[in-house]
Amino acid sequence: MAETVSMERARTLALPKVKIDDGFWSYYISLVRGTVVPYQWEALNDRVEGAEPSGAVRNFKIAAGLEEGDFYGFVFQDSDVAKWLEAVGYLLAAQPDPDLEAVADGMIDLVAAAQHENGYLNTYFTIRKPGEQWTNLMDCHELYCAGHMIEAGVAYYKATGKRKLLDVVIRFADYIDTVFGNEPGKLRGYDGHQEIELALVKLYETTGDRKYLNLSRFFIDQRGTEPNFLVQEADSRNRVSHWGFTHGKNIDLAYFQAHEPVREQQQAVGHAVRFAYMLSGMIDVAAETGDGELLAACRRLWDNMTERQMYITGGIGSMAQGEAFSFDYDLPNDTVYAETCASIGLVFAAQRMLRLEPDAKYADALERALYNTVVGGMSRDGKHFFYVNPLEVDPKACGGKNKKYDHVKPVRQEWFGCACCPPNVARLLASLGSYVYTAKDDAVYAHLYVGGEAELELGGTAVTLVQQSDYPWSGDVRFEVKPEQAATFKLCLRLPDWSPSASIRVNGTDFSYQTEKGYAVIERTWQQGDTVELALEMPIMRIRSNPLVRGNAGKVALQRGPLVYCLEQADNGADLHLLLLPQEAELKARRAEELLDGIVVIEAEGLRENAKAWGSSLYSTAGRPAAEPERLTFIPYYAWANRGEGEMTVWVREG
Amino acid sequence: MAETVSMERARTLALPKVKIDDGFWSYYISLVRGTVVPYQWEALNDRVEGAEPSGAVRNFKIAAGLEEGDFYGFVFQDSDVAKWLEAVGYLLAAQPDPDLEAVADGMIDLVAAAQHENGYLNTYFTIRKPGEQWTNLMDCHELYCAGHMIEAGVAYYKATGKRKLLDVVIRFADYIDTVFGNEPGKLRGYDGHQEIELALVKLYETTGDRKYLNLSRFFIDQRGTEPNFLVQEADSRNRVSHWGFTHGKNIDLAYFQAHEPVREQQQAVGHAVRFAYMLSGMIDVAAETGDGELLAACRRLWDNMTERQMYITGGIGSMAQGEAFSFDYDLPNDTVYAETCASIGLVFAAQRMLRLEPDAKYADALERALYNTVVGGMSRDGKHFFYVNPLEVDPKACGGKNKKYDHVKPVRQEWFGCACCPPNVARLLASLGSYVYTAKDDAVYAHLYVGGEAELELGGTAVTLVQQSDYPWSGDVRFEVKPEQAATFKLCLRLPDWSPSASIRVNGTDFSYQTEKGYAVIERTWQQGDTVELALEMPIMRIRSNPLVRGNAGKVALQRGPLVYCLEQADNGADLHLLLLPQEAELKARRAEELLDGIVVIEAEGLRENAKAWGSSLYSTAGRPAAEPERLTFIPYYAWANRGEGEMTVWVREG
C-alpha cells in the first residue's frame, strides 16, 4: 500500500479574477471569442462551406428524438460539442455575453434532452448501438466523451452559476459509478482514451463529493493490471476493432498506456494525447489523495517526456503511427506528429505539477508548448488549424508524393473530420488566465508573463496584481502590487530557463532576490502601488540538441525568449536544406511591424550552397558545393504557414 | 502510328558458353548451387524450421488433385516455384547435376499435372476460386505468375533440352492469347503486376512465334489507356480489393503504372519492382518491333530512375508505402525501401538497354545495383535475405519502436512469407554469366569484369575469351583472346564511371584506344594467345549527392571501384551519427583477409562527437560538442549485417 503524504495544492485563480490585457495574447483571446468559437459553432452545425461536415450538434438532436437520421462522424464526435461548451464557459467567466450564453443554453438543453433516464449520455451508442453500451471501451471513447462533458458542466457552472449541465454530468457520473468499480458485478474496466480521470477530479473539486475522486483513482489504478481488461474485452469481440480491423496475437496495449500498471511505467509511450491526459489525471489523484508512490510515477513520466521525447517546440509524439511517442531521443523533424492536442495535454499536466510543487521546469515546458506548438496550431485568422506540427516541411513531399508524410499538411486546414484540435485550442486560450498564477499560503507565483490584472487573497488581504509587458518580444515585465491593506507576502517570479540573467527592481531600487526552484522570491510588506520591475535578459540563443538526437546532428535552432524560430520559404526561397548558418554568424533581432501583425525577426548572414552549379548528376566526386552569402530571415515558429504554402525548417545546418 | 525503325539487338551469350571462375562471384554462385537453391527447395516444401511456411509446392499438389487441402500463402505463391525452376535451369545450363535435375523434373511433373485442360495454370484460382479466373487482374497476379512460369520453361528448355515445361507454358500462353486482346470478345486487360510482358518476349525469342511478341505489345500498349481497365474491373467488384480493403474515390493507379499510357509516362512512379519489370518488357518490345516512340519512353524512364531516384547503392523505391518510387531527389536513407527485387529488375532493364545500345551508363547502373544492393540482399551464408535494403539503420528504432521503420529489418531474415526476393537473387546469380558480355556483328562488349571463359563467334571464327582479375578489389583485368583462326574483330571494354583513368596494353604494349559511349574499343586482327591488360584506376572516392537530395546535405559516402562503403557498429561502435569524416582526412584502403571472407576496408582518421560530455539536457546553448579523433573503418555495403545486429550508415557527416 502506498504511503499517504500530505500534499496541499496551490490554488489556481478563477477566471473572473484574471483579466488579460496583453499585446500578444489579447489578440488570440479576442480571436477565440470573436471568430474561433462562433466559427466552430457553425462547423459543429455543418454550416462551414468546403469543410468536412461535423454532424455533432445534429447527433444530439437525433439522440434526443428531435430529428430523424443516423449518427454522423467519429465515435467521439460528442466531445467536440463538450469542448465547445467548455470554451464558452471560460469566455463567459471572463466577460458576459448574453447572446453566446443563449446559444450555449440551447445546446445544453439538447444535451440534457439526449440524456437517458438512468443518466447515460452518448449520442453514438444512443443512435447507432443501443444496448451495446460499455462493450467496447478500448475503441469507443464513451468515458472519454463523458469526461469532456463533465469538464464542460463544471466550466459552465463556474462561469454562469447555471446548474443544468452540471446536474446532467453529475447524474451521468453517478451512473458511471454504478457501472465501474472493484465491487462484485461492476466492470473493472477503463477507457481506451484517458480523459475522465482528470474530469472526475474537477467534479470532485466542484461538488466536494469524494466519490468522484475515488472513481478517478479506480480508473487510474485499474489501467494495465492483469488480467488485462482491454484484452479480455477484445477477446469477447473476437478481437474485432471498432475501426474495422482485427487485432492479431499482440494487441498494442502501450498505445493505450495499458501495457502495465501506470505506477510501474518508466517511459512516455503510446498515443501522446492519451498519455498527457492520463498524466494530468494521475497528478490530480496523487495530489488529492496524498499518494507519494503515484506522484513518483508522475515525476518519472514527466521527466522522460520533457527530457527525452519533447521537441524544441514543446511538441510531443514522434511518430504518425499511433500519433505516438517512439523512444528516447528519437525526434525526427519531418515525419513528426506533435499533435496540437498533445501539447495542450502537456500544458494541463504542467499546470497540475505547478499546483503541487512550484518548480520552474514545469512552467518552462508549459511556456514552450504554449508559445510554439499550441498557438502555432492555429492560423492568424482563427479559421485554420494544424493537427500535426512538423519542424521541417517540404510541400513537394506532401500530398502523397512520399506517403510517409501523408499526415503532414503544409498549410493549416479548415476543420478536420476528426476535429479534436480546434476546440481544444479554443478552450485552452479561453482559460489562459487561470494558467498565469498560482497561489499558496502567503505566496503568489507568476508562471507566465501575460499582461493584465489579477485579484487574489494574500497575507490576509485582497490584492490586485497588475502585470504589463511587451512579452514575448522583450523580457521587461512590470508588476504593480495593490494590496487593500499593507500586507506581508511573497511574490515569486519565474526565471525562465532561456534567460541567462535577470534583475529585479522594487520601487525603482535594485532588489537582491533569493531563487527557489527557478523562482525569484520577493518577500516584503507590500503597500498599495508598489512596483516590481523584472528585467529578463533575452538573448538570441543558438540551441543544439543532445548529441543522441540523430536527426539534429550538425544542426542548430534559434530561440529568443520563449519563441523558437524557423526559416520559411516566403523569406528565404526554396530548398532550405541548402542554407547554412555559420558558427560565427552575427544574429540580429529586428522588430518587423509590417510582418505577420508585428513580430521580431532574427536576421543573419548565412550561406546558400549553390545547387545550380552542381549540374545534373545524382552522385559525383565533385567537392563540397560552393556556398554563397545569403541573408537569412528567421520568424517565430508559431507564425509559420500564414503566407501560403512553402518550405519551413526549425533546425538549420551549421556552416 | 509510331515510326518503325530497325533495331538489331546484340546477342547475349548462352549460359553454357560462359564459365565463371572469379574470386568474388564464384563464391556466390557456389552458394546458390550448394546452399541457396537446396535451402529454397526445403523452404518451398515447408521444411525450414523457424521460417514462415511457404506452401508453394503443396499448392501444386493440391491443384493437381494429389493432395487434399486448401491453398496456402500469397496469391502469387506459384511464382516462387517458377523462379526456383528458372534458377535451376540456369544452374544446369552451367553445369550438369543429375540429382538436382531429377528434383526439378519432379516439380515440373507437378506443374504439368496442375495445368487445366485448356492450358490454364494457377494454383490459387484452381484451389480457392475456381470459375473466377481473370476477374481480379489488379490484385491477383495471374499473368504475373504465368510470366514467371514462362521464364522458367524457357530457361529449363535451354538448359536441358527438355520440352515438358516449355510445352506447358506454350499451351498456357496460347490460351492467354485467346483471352486477351483487342479483338471483340477478348479482355482488353493487363496484369496489376507486370512480368508477363518480358516473359512473352523470351518465349517469342525461343519459339520464333510472333504471336507472343504481339501479345506482349498488347499488354504494354493497353496499360493506362482510357477507359481504364483496372478501374472498370474494380468497379465490377464494388471496388473491394483482394487484400480486404475497399478502394476509395481515387484508385492509386500510379502504383501499377496504369495512370496513363506507358508511352506518355515521364517519371518512374509506383511500385518499383512493377516499374522495373515493365521497363524491361518495354525495351524488349521496342527493340523487337522497332518502335522508336516506345524506345524514347524507355530512355526517358530509365534516365529518370537512375539520374533522379536511384540510391548510391543501386537501390530504387524511396518509400515503404507501396514499395514505391516517391519523387525526384527524394532519397531518404533510413525510411527507404530499395527492395532487392527492384534492383534485380533494374539489372534486367539495364541488360536489355545494353543489347540495344552499348552505352556504359547502363552497365554502370547494372554494376552498381549488382555489387551493392543485389549481393547485399543475401547473407554470406546464403540462408538469410534482405527484402528492404536501408542505407542507414539504427536497430534501436526498429522492431516497432518507431513504426515508420516497421519495414526495415536490421538483420537479414530467414525466409519471407512474401518470398519474392530470395529466389530472385538465386535466378540472377545463377545466370550471371549471361550479363558479362554481349556481342553484335564483329564486336564483343565486356560489360562486367568477372573472371572466367566465354566462347563466342566473332569475325567468322570461334573465339574463347579468358578473363582474369581480382575485381572488385583491384582494377587490373587481364584478357586472353583465343580465336580458332586469326580474325579481325573489336573487343570493347567498359570504362566504369568510377575510374578516372584507364590504360590498356595489348600483348604487353601500350595501346591507344578510342572510346565509344564509355567503352574502350580495341579493333585488330587477333591471334591465338593475344593478351589485353586493362588497368582501371580505382581510387577511393568521396561521393556527394546532388544538392537537391535533402537527406544527404552535408554528408559524404565512400566508394572504391563498384563498391559503395558503409560504417558499421561492429567496427565503429554505436551512435554512428556522432562520427565525422573531415574533408582533409586521408583515406586508406587495406586488404583485410581476416574480415568477412576477405575484403578491402577503408580506414580514415575521423572524429567522434562526445555525447557523454554533453550531460543530460535535451536542448542547450552549449557549443558544438567536442569532437575527438577516432579511427573509422568502412566496409563494403554488400557485407553489412553479417556480424550481428548493429547500426549502419552509408552517408557520413563531413567534419
Side-chain angles (χ1 to χ4, degrees):
Chain A
M1 186 60 207
E3 186 194 4
T4 301
V5 290
S6 168
M7 298 182 202
E8 198 197 335
R9 294 222 272 185
R11 52 196 194 278
T12 55
L13 274 58
L15 280 179
K17 303 291 184 188
V18 192
K19 302 245 171 298
I20 291 181
D21 179 11
D22 183 83
F24 187 81
W25 288 110
S26 289
Y27 171 82
Y28 284 103
I29 295 168
S30 302
L31 198 65
V32 168
R33 184 179 298 280
T35 302
V36 181
V37 162
Y39 175 81
Q40 292 183 352
W41 179 246
E42 295 307 296
L44 293 171
N45 283 280
D46 312 320
R47 295 190 293 246
V48 174
E49 213 174 313
E52 296 184 44
S54 156
V57 171
R58 188 161 173 267
N59 289 338
F60 278 97
K61 290 180 184 164
I62 297 167
L66 302 171
E67 270 194 29
E68 294 282 310
D70 193 12
F71 179 89
Y72 184 86
F74 283 97
V75 69
F76 45 78
Q77 212 74 354
D78 287 2
S79 65
D80 288 347
V81 167
K83 282 191 276 191
W84 184 84
L85 282 171
E86 185 186 350
V88 169
Y90 298 142
L91 291 176
L92 296 178
Q95 187 180 307
D97 182 337
D99 293 343
L100 180 60
E101 190 167 330
V103 171
D105 284 344
M107 184 67 234
I108 288 167
D109 290 342
L110 275 181
V111 172
Q115 188 167 33
H116 294 205
E117 199 59 40
N118 65 0
Y120 183 81
L121 175 61
N122 182 297
T123 71
Y124 173 77
F125 282 93
T126 300
I127 301 170
R128 189 76 70 78
K129 302 271 181 189
E132 294 184 34
Q133 288 90 340
W134 317 124
T135 59
N136 190 346
L137 288 156
M138 178 190 271
D139 300 326
C140 288
H141 292 68
E142 265 170 303
L143 294 172
Y144 167 88
C145 289
H148 275 302
M149 202 57 83
I150 292 169
E151 287 202 273
V154 168
Y156 203 75
Y157 165 70
K158 285 190 178 174
T160 63
K162 292 179 178 169
R163 290 196 59 100
K164 183 160 191 177
L165 189 57
L166 184 67
D167 287 338
V168 163
V169 299
I170 285 174
R171 280 180 60 212
F172 193 9
D174 289 348
Y175 170 64
I176 291 168
D177 191 52
T178 68
V179 174
F180 290 89
N182 274 318
E183 298 84 353
K186 287 186 172 181
L187 272 178
R188 304 180 81 152
Y190 43 88
D191 203 83
H193 196 315
Q194 301 90 324
E195 154 64 23
I196 197 168
E197 296 83 355
L198 70 90
L200 285 169
V201 178
K202 283 191 177 181
L203 194 60
Y204 156 64
E205 289 179 323
T206 304
T207 62
D209 190 338
R210 210 167 168 87
K211 169 170 72 179
Y212 306 123
L213 178 63
N214 291 338
L215 184 57
S216 174
R217 187 178 191 177
F218 164 78
F219 286 135
I220 285 168
D221 278 341
Q222 192 59 22
R223 194 167 208 91
T225 56
E226 290 293 334
N228 192 288
F229 173 80
L230 296 182
V231 173
Q232 291 183 316
E233 191 199 63
D235 284 342
S236 74
R237 295 189 309 273
N238 297 317
R239 301 211 161 198
V240 176
S241 147
H242 169 78
W243 308 106
F245 66 90
T246 301
H247 290 281
K249 251 186 303 187
N250 299 309
I251 295 178
D252 182 8
L253 292 171
Y255 170 81
F256 309 98
Q257 294 84 33
H259 54 304
E260 56 186 356
V262 300
R263 290 167 193 272
E264 295 170 21
Q265 296 185 18
Q266 303 293 320
Q267 290 182 306
V269 298
H271 187 259
V273 176
R274 283 170 167 79
F275 173 85
Y277 284 16
M278 174 178 81
L279 181 57
S280 300
M282 285 168 67
I283 300 166
D284 279 340
V285 168
E288 296 294 345
T289 62
D291 187 334
E293 185 193 60
L294 188 58
L295 182 60
C298 295
R299 288 204 185 102
R300 187 167 66 231
L301 292 175
W302 170 273
D303 288 350
N304 178 267
M305 170 175 71
T306 55
E307 295 173 12
R308 301 282 178 96
Q309 300 200 69
M310 183 179 74
Y311 286 89
I312 191 173
T313 53
I316 47 172
S318 295
M319 59 179 170
Q321 294 84 352
E323 310 175 338
F325 291 100
S326 56
F327 61 97
D328 289 359
Y329 302 115
D330 182 46
L331 294 159
N333 294 306
D334 57 349
T335 56
V336 51
Y337 209 73
E339 184 177 339
T340 307
C341 287
S343 287
I344 290 171
L346 184 149
V347 167
F348 294 161
Q351 188 198 30
R352 284 162 170 81
M353 287 308 297
L354 286 171
R355 284 183 64 193
L356 200 51
E357 44 190 35
D359 181 329
K361 76 175 184 180
Y362 300 114
D364 287 336
L366 189 164
E367 185 182 75
R368 187 180 287 282
L370 183 66
Y371 279 88
N372 297 288
T373 295
V374 174
V375 70
M378 185 166 76
S379 61
R380 291 291 294 176
D381 69 7
K383 292 182 177 173
H384 298 81
F385 299 88
F386 279 131
Y387 195 90
V388 169
N389 294 277
L391 284 78
E392 179 179 339
V393 167
D394 178 359
K396 284 198 300 300
C398 299
K401 286 295 193 172
N402 187 323
K403 292 179 184 174
K404 73 177 174 180
Y405 300 117
D406 276 1
H407 61 297
V408 177
K409 309 294 175 200
V411 291
R412 293 177 185 81
Q413 309 290 298
E414 276 221 323
W415 182 263
F416 296 100
C418 171
C420 54
C421 296
N424 235 348
V425 173
R427 69 181 181 133
L428 177 64
L429 295 182
S431 61
L432 186 64
S434 64
Y435 291 84
V436 181
Y437 303 101
T438 59
K440 189 177 179 186
D441 304 329
D442 60 345
V444 58
Y445 293 85
H447 304 297
L448 295 178
Y449 296 114
V450 175
E453 276 192 28
E455 293 167 31
L456 67 169
E457 286 277 326
L458 279 171
T461 188
V463 180
T464 301
L465 267 180
V466 181
Q467 189 185 151
Q468 284 177 302
S469 78
D470 187 30
Y471 204 85
W473 311 117
S474 121
D476 296 329
V477 185
R478 184 176 184 278
F479 288 88
E480 196 175 346
V481 184
K482 299 177 173 175
E484 264 187 16
Q485 301 163 1
T488 301
F489 56 86
K490 293 180 195 165
L491 175 62
C492 306
L493 304 180
R494 170 171 153 258
L495 303 174
D497 59 355
W498 47 257
S499 185
S501 73
S503 64
I504 291 177
R505 291 160 71 88
V506 175
N507 295 330
T509 305
D510 283 347
F511 182 86
S512 174
Y513 57 86
Q514 298 269 306
T515 303
E516 283 178 16
K517 291 196 173 176
Y519 289 79
V521 179
I522 311 168
E523 180 166 20
R524 59 194 299 280
T525 302
W526 301 89
Q527 311 286 342
Q528 178 75 247
D530 281 348
T531 61
V532 175
E533 289 157 284
L534 169 68
L536 297 168
E537 200 188 343
M538 191 182 268
I540 301 170
M541 296 184 297
R542 226 176 226 277
I543 309 276
R544 285 183 179 74
S545 12
N546 190 303
L548 296 177
V549 179
R550 180 157 57 108
N552 291 345
K555 294 181 176 177
V556 292
L558 300 184
Q559 185 178 337
R560 180 175 178 274
L563 299 177
V564 172
Y565 278 71
C566 67
L567 290 171
E568 256 204 323
Q569 184 173 341
D571 304 300
N572 303 285
D575 295 322
L576 296 178
H577 68 275
L578 296 176
L579 298 178
L580 299 165
L581 183 64
Q583 269 196 289
E584 65 283 0
E586 195 189 347
L587 305 168
K588 284 190 191 155
R590 179 175 69 79
R591 188 85 190 206
E593 291 298 350
E594 76 290 357
L595 205 61
L596 294 159
D597 302 322
I599 57 172
V600 171
V601 299
I602 298 173
E603 293 171 333
E605 274 305 325
L607 297 167
R608 174 182 283 275
E609 287 183 349
N610 188 335
K612 288 186 192 110
W614 173 273
S616 66
S617 64
L618 187 50
Y619 303 106
S620 160
T621 53
R624 193 182 271 197
E628 289 144 20
E630 178 152 320
R631 186 134 201 95
L632 306 183
T633 301
F634 295 79
I635 65 162
Y637 173 78
Y638 79 83
W640 84 279
N642 277 294
R643 294 173 291 169
E645 185 175 291
E647 292 178 34
M648 183 277 292
T649 190
V650 169
W651 293 94
V652 187
R653 290 165 60 204
E654 192 165 61
Chain B
M1 185 59 206
E3 185 194 2
T4 303
V5 288
S6 168
M7 298 183 202
E8 197 198 336
R9 293 222 272 186
R11 53 196 194 278
T12 55
L13 274 57
L15 280 179
K17 302 291 183 188
V18 192
K19 303 247 172 295
I20 291 182
D21 179 11
D22 184 82
F24 186 81
W25 288 110
S26 289
Y27 171 82
Y28 284 103
I29 294 169
S30 303
L31 198 65
V32 168
R33 183 180 298 279
T35 301
V36 181
V37 161
Y39 175 80
Q40 292 183 353
W41 179 246
E42 295 306 297
L44 294 170
N45 283 281
D46 311 322
R47 295 189 294 245
V48 175
E49 215 175 309
E52 298 184 42
S54 157
V57 172
R58 189 161 173 268
N59 289 337
F60 278 96
K61 290 180 185 165
I62 296 166
L66 303 171
E67 270 194 30
E68 294 283 309
D70 193 12
F71 179 89
Y72 185 86
F74 283 96
V75 69
F76 45 78
Q77 212 74 352
D78 286 2
S79 65
D80 289 346
V81 167
K83 282 191 276 190
W84 183 84
L85 283 171
E86 185 187 349
V88 169
Y90 298 144
L91 291 177
L92 296 179
Q95 185 181 310
D97 182 337
D99 292 344
L100 180 60
E101 190 168 330
V103 172
D105 284 344
M107 184 68 233
I108 288 167
D109 289 344
L110 276 180
V111 172
Q115 188 168 33
H116 295 204
E117 200 57 41
N118 65 1
Y120 183 79
L121 175 61
N122 182 296
T123 70
Y124 172 77
F125 282 92
T126 302
I127 300 170
R128 188 76 71 77
K129 303 269 183 190
E132 294 184 35
Q133 287 92 339
W134 318 124
T135 59
N136 189 345
L137 288 157
M138 178 190 271
D139 300 324
C140 289
H141 293 67
E142 263 169 305
L143 294 172
Y144 167 88
C145 288
H148 275 302
M149 202 57 83
I150 290 168
E151 287 201 272
V154 168
Y156 204 75
Y157 166 70
K158 285 190 179 175
T160 62
K162 292 179 178 170
R163 288 196 61 99
K164 184 161 190 176
L165 188 58
L166 184 66
D167 287 338
V168 163
V169 299
I170 285 174
R171 280 179 62 209
F172 192 10
D174 289 347
Y175 170 64
I176 291 168
D177 190 53
T178 68
V179 175
F180 291 91
N182 274 317
E183 298 84 353
K186 287 186 173 181
L187 272 178
R188 303 180 82 150
Y190 43 89
D191 203 83
H193 197 316
Q194 301 91 323
E195 153 65 23
I196 196 167
E197 296 82 355
L198 71 89
L200 285 169
V201 178
K202 283 191 177 180
L203 194 60
Y204 157 64
E205 289 180 323
T206 304
T207 63
D209 189 340
R210 210 167 168 88
K211 171 171 68 177
Y212 306 123
L213 178 63
N214 291 339
L215 183 57
S216 175
R217 187 178 191 175
F218 164 79
F219 286 133
I220 285 168
D221 278 342
Q222 191 60 22
R223 193 167 208 91
T225 56
E226 290 293 335
N228 191 289
F229 174 80
L230 295 182
V231 173
Q232 292 183 317
E233 190 199 63
D235 284 343
S236 74
R237 294 189 308 274
N238 296 317
R239 302 211 160 199
V240 176
S241 147
H242 169 78
W243 308 105
F245 66 89
T246 301
H247 291 281
K249 250 186 303 186
N250 299 309
I251 295 178
D252 182 8
L253 292 170
Y255 170 80
F256 309 97
Q257 295 84 33
H259 55 304
E260 56 186 357
V262 300
R263 290 167 192 271
E264 295 170 22
Q265 296 184 18
Q266 303 293 321
Q267 290 180 307
V269 297
H271 187 258
V273 176
R274 282 172 167 80
F275 174 85
Y277 285 16
M278 174 178 81
L279 181 57
S280 300
M282 285 167 67
I283 300 165
D284 279 339
V285 168
E288 296 295 345
T289 62
D291 187 334
E293 186 193 57
L294 189 57
L295 182 60
C298 295
R299 288 204 185 101
R300 187 168 66 231
L301 293 175
W302 170 272
D303 288 350
N304 178 266
M305 170 174 70
T306 55
E307 295 173 12
R308 302 282 177 97
Q309 300 200 71
M310 183 179 72
Y311 286 90
I312 191 173
T313 52
I316 48 173
S318 295
M319 59 178 170
Q321 295 85 352
E323 308 174 338
F325 291 100
S326 56
F327 60 96
D328 290 358
Y329 302 115
D330 182 47
L331 293 159
N333 294 306
D334 57 349
T335 55
V336 51
Y337 208 72
E339 185 177 337
T340 309
C341 286
S343 287
I344 290 170
L346 184 149
V347 167
F348 294 161
Q351 189 198 31
R352 283 162 172 80
M353 287 307 297
L354 286 171
R355 285 184 63 194
L356 200 51
E357 44 191 34
D359 181 330
K361 76 176 185 180
Y362 301 114
D364 286 335
L366 190 165
E367 185 183 72
R368 186 179 288 282
L370 183 65
Y371 278 88
N372 297 288
T373 295
V374 173
V375 69
M378 186 165 74
S379 61
R380 291 290 294 174
D381 69 6
K383 293 183 177 174
H384 299 82
F385 299 88
F386 278 132
Y387 195 90
V388 169
N389 294 277
L391 283 80
E392 179 179 339
V393 167
D394 177 359
K396 282 197 302 300
C398 299
K401 286 296 193 172
N402 188 322
K403 292 180 184 174
K404 73 178 174 180
Y405 300 117
D406 276 1
H407 61 296
V408 177
K409 309 294 175 201
V411 290
R412 294 177 185 81
Q413 309 290 299
E414 275 222 321
W415 183 262
F416 298 99
C418 171
C420 53
C421 296
N424 235 349
V425 173
R427 68 181 181 132
L428 177 65
L429 296 183
S431 61
L432 186 64
S434 64
Y435 292 85
V436 180
Y437 303 100
T438 59
K440 189 178 177 185
D441 304 329
D442 61 346
V444 58
Y445 293 84
H447 304 297
L448 296 177
Y449 296 114
V450 176
E453 277 192 30
E455 293 168 28
L456 65 170
E457 286 277 324
L458 280 170
T461 188
V463 179
T464 301
L465 268 180
V466 181
Q467 190 184 151
Q468 285 177 299
S469 77
D470 188 31
Y471 204 86
W473 312 116
S474 123
D476 296 329
V477 185
R478 184 177 184 277
F479 289 87
E480 196 174 344
V481 185
K482 300 179 176 177
E484 265 188 17
Q485 303 164 1
T488 301
F489 56 85
K490 294 180 195 166
L491 175 62
C492 305
L493 303 180
R494 171 172 152 257
L495 303 174
D497 58 356
W498 47 258
S499 185
S501 73
S503 65
I504 291 177
R505 293 160 69 87
V506 175
N507 295 330
T509 304
D510 284 347
F511 182 88
S512 173
Y513 58 85
Q514 298 270 307
T515 302
E516 283 177 16
K517 292 196 172 174
Y519 289 80
V521 179
I522 310 168
E523 182 166 17
R524 60 194 299 281
T525 301
W526 300 89
Q527 311 285 340
Q528 179 75 249
D530 282 347
T531 62
V532 176
E533 291 157 286
L534 169 67
L536 297 167
E537 200 188 344
M538 192 183 267
I540 301 169
M541 296 185 296
R542 227 176 224 277
I543 309 277
R544 286 184 178 73
S545 15
N546 191 304
L548 296 176
V549 179
R550 179 156 58 107
N552 292 345
K555 294 182 176 175
V556 292
L558 300 185
Q559 185 178 338
R560 181 175 176 274
L563 299 177
V564 173
Y565 278 71
C566 67
L567 289 171
E568 256 204 322
Q569 184 173 341
D571 304 301
N572 303 284
D575 296 322
L576 296 178
H577 68 275
L578 296 176
L579 298 178
L580 298 165
L581 183 64
Q583 269 195 290
E584 64 284 0
E586 195 189 344
L587 304 169
K588 284 190 193 156
R590 178 174 71 78
R591 187 84 189 208
E593 291 299 347
E594 75 290 359
L595 204 61
L596 294 157
D597 301 322
I599 57 173
V600 171
V601 300
I602 298 174
E603 294 171 331
E605 275 303 325
L607 297 167
R608 175 183 283 273
E609 288 182 348
N610 188 334
K612 290 189 189 107
W614 174 273
S616 67
S617 64
L618 187 50
Y619 303 105
S620 160
T621 53
R624 193 181 271 197
E628 288 144 19
E630 177 152 320
R631 185 132 201 98
L632 306 184
T633 300
F634 295 80
I635 65 162
Y637 174 78
Y638 80 84
W640 83 280
N642 277 295
R643 294 173 291 170
E645 185 175 291
E647 292 179 33
M648 184 277 292
T649 190
V650 169
W651 293 94
V652 187
R653 290 163 60 205
E654 193 165 60

